[in-house]
């Protein structure tokens, strides 16, 4: 009963010549032990200490360690280069939130046929009262979303920077055969193709639609979300996510159905 939570928190950073990391192991919000790491890529060495035990650092030669496992230092350098490029790829939280709101607003503005109800969501004995919003999203709705969204996507500089950075990361993994600009040009080409298909999409309004179901729990948090494809009267659940909470205890049931396989995560605690 005294064991409420065990957590491991890690902070890391890297540049072209070195990296560092600090990890803290905590029990019930009380720090138990910490580990500090520093690495020098030029010297091919790493230094570590556990402050609670000793203020001294233990030095380790990375090349000798890697060679025992069939690796070499170049593989570690490639990892460091990828981490450095990753920092360029990762936009700040405010920019990502702006993008989500910008395009999410367009999506939800075109979902007008919404039914509202109240129910109790229960998984593994954990229940929570929720407000359920259910909407039918037709091909015509998708076409209207696309017509409004595509012109904005074409001139969105925040999105251009993110896609270009993704291309630079991919180039690192692909021996430089592609670059960020070609990635972005491919994105623009996909937008052109999508735009040309919008009218055809609207013509299939009677063939299929998506059924979206969202449950809102305490503090306006999304407690459950399901997305179901309905085609010719047959139902295929694409995504199901439910997480009711009672106090500090919650239950989770998540399922993703693809053509050939299903991924599922469930549990409680």
């Amino acid at each position: 009963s005294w064991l409420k939570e065990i957590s491991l928190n890690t902070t890391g950073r890297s540049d072209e010549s070195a990296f560092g990391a600090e990890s803290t192991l905590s029990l019930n919000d009380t720090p138990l032990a910490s580990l500090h790491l520093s690495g020098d890529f030029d010297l091919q060495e790493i230094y570590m200490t556990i402050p609670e035990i000793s203020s001294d650092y233990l030095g380790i030669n990375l090349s000798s360690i890697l060679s025992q496992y069939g690796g070499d230092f170049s593989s570690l350098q490639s990892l460091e280069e990828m981490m450095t490029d990753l920092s360029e790829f990762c936009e700040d939280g405010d920019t990502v939130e702006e993008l989500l709101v910008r395009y999410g607003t367009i999506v939800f503005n075109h979902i007008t046929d919404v039914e509202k109800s109240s129910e109790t969501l229960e998984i593994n004995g954990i229940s929570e009262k929720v407000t359920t919003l259910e909407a039918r999203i037709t091909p015509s709705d998708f076409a209207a979303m696309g017509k409004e969204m595509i012109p904005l996507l074409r001139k969105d500089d925040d999105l251009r920077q993110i896609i270009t950075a993704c291309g630079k990361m991919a180039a690192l993994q692909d021996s430089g055969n592609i670059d960020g600009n070609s990635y972005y040009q491919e994105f623009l080409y996909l937008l052109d193709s999508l735009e040309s298909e919008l009218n055809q999409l609207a013509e299939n309004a009677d063939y299929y639609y998506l059924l979206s179901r969202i449950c809102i729990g305490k503090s306006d948090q999304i407690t459950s979300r399901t997305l179901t494809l309905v085609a010719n009267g047959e139902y295929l659940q694409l995504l199901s996510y439910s997480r009711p909470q009672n106090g500090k205890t919650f239950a989770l049931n998540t399922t993703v159905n693809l053509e050939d396989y299903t991924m599922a995560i469930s549990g409680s605690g």
Side-chain angles (χ1 to χ4, degrees):
S1 61
W2 56 268
L3 178 57
K4 304 298 183 183
E5 181 181 69
I6 296 176
S7 61
L8 179 65
N9 298 310
T10 300
T11 301
R13 62 204 170 277
S14 173
D15 60 22
E16 294 181 356
S17 61
F19 70 91
E22 292 84 34
S23 296
T24 302
L25 178 67
S26 298
L27 172 65
N28 298 342
D29 296 326
T30 300
L32 295 181
S34 55
L35 174 67
H36 294 184
L37 292 174
S38 296
D40 189 308
F41 289 107
D42 294 330
L43 297 177
Q44 302 185 17
E45 291 181 340
I46 188 171
Y47 306 91
M48 59 177 287
T49 183
I50 302 176
E52 291 83 0
I53 297 178
S54 172
S55 60
D56 294 335
Y57 278 77
L58 172 66
I60 303 171
N61 184 279
L62 286 173
S63 295
S64 61
I65 296 294
L66 291 170
S67 63
Q68 295 181 31
Y69 297 95
D72 55 34
F73 194 70
S74 62
S75 61
L76 191 65
Q77 287 176 312
S78 296
L79 176 62
E80 184 275 330
E81 291 170 359
M82 186 178 69
M83 290 172 62
T84 302
D85 219 27
L86 182 61
S87 66
E88 180 181 355
F89 161 73
C90 292
E91 289 290 331
D92 62 275
D94 290 341
T95 300
V96 174
E97 185 174 3
E98 275 186 31
L99 288 171
L100 290 174
V101 172
R102 186 180 308 161
Y103 296 106
T105 300
I106 294 175
V107 170
F108 287 112
N109 282 346
H110 287 280
I111 303 176
T112 56
D113 184 17
V114 180
E115 295 183 1
K116 184 177 180 180
S117 61
S118 299
E119 62 179 279
T120 298
L121 182 67
E122 182 175 348
I123 297 176
N124 293 342
I126 306 298
S127 61
E128 183 177 351
K129 292 183 178 179
V130 297
T131 298
T132 300
L133 306 174
E134 188 170 279
R136 171 173 164 164
I137 310 171
T138 68
S140 297
D141 295 326
F142 283 117
M145 293 174 197
K147 287 181 179 179
E148 183 177 349
M149 196 179 297
I150 288 175
L152 296 178
L153 291 169
R154 282 201 181 99
K155 60 182 182 181
D156 193 322
D157 192 59
D158 291 331
L159 198 59
R160 180 190 62 79
Q161 292 183 33
I162 292 176
I163 294 173
T164 301
C166 286
K168 291 179 180 178
M169 275 200 69
L172 177 65
Q173 301 301 308
D174 198 34
S175 304
N177 293 332
I178 54 178
D179 58 32
N181 186 61
S182 64
Y183 242 54
Y184 183 66
Q185 294 303 317
E186 180 67 19
F187 169 73
L188 294 178
Y189 172 76
L190 290 174
L191 288 183
D192 292 338
S193 300
L194 178 61
E195 191 171 38
S196 67
E197 295 175 2
L198 287 178
N199 291 331
Q200 298 179 22
L201 186 66
E203 295 174 358
N204 295 321
D206 296 330
Y207 174 67
Y208 70 91
Y209 62 90
L210 281 176
L211 192 63
S212 174
R213 196 168 185 268
I214 298 175
C215 296
I216 310 298
K218 297 176 182 178
S219 303
D220 291 334
Q221 296 295 313
I222 294 180
T223 304
S224 175
R225 181 193 297 274
T226 58
L227 196 61
T228 304
L229 176 64
V230 183
N232 285 337
E234 296 185 1
Y235 289 73
L236 173 62
Q237 191 175 82
L238 305 175
L239 167 69
S240 174
Y241 162 82
S242 297
R243 187 190 183 278
Q245 184 163 341
N246 187 349
K248 293 186 177 180
T249 303
F250 70 91
L252 175 70
N253 188 8
T254 298
T255 304
V256 179
N257 293 307
L258 302 176
E259 283 190 17
D260 300 323
Y261 59 90
T262 297
M263 296 182 293
I265 301 173
S266 63
S268 59

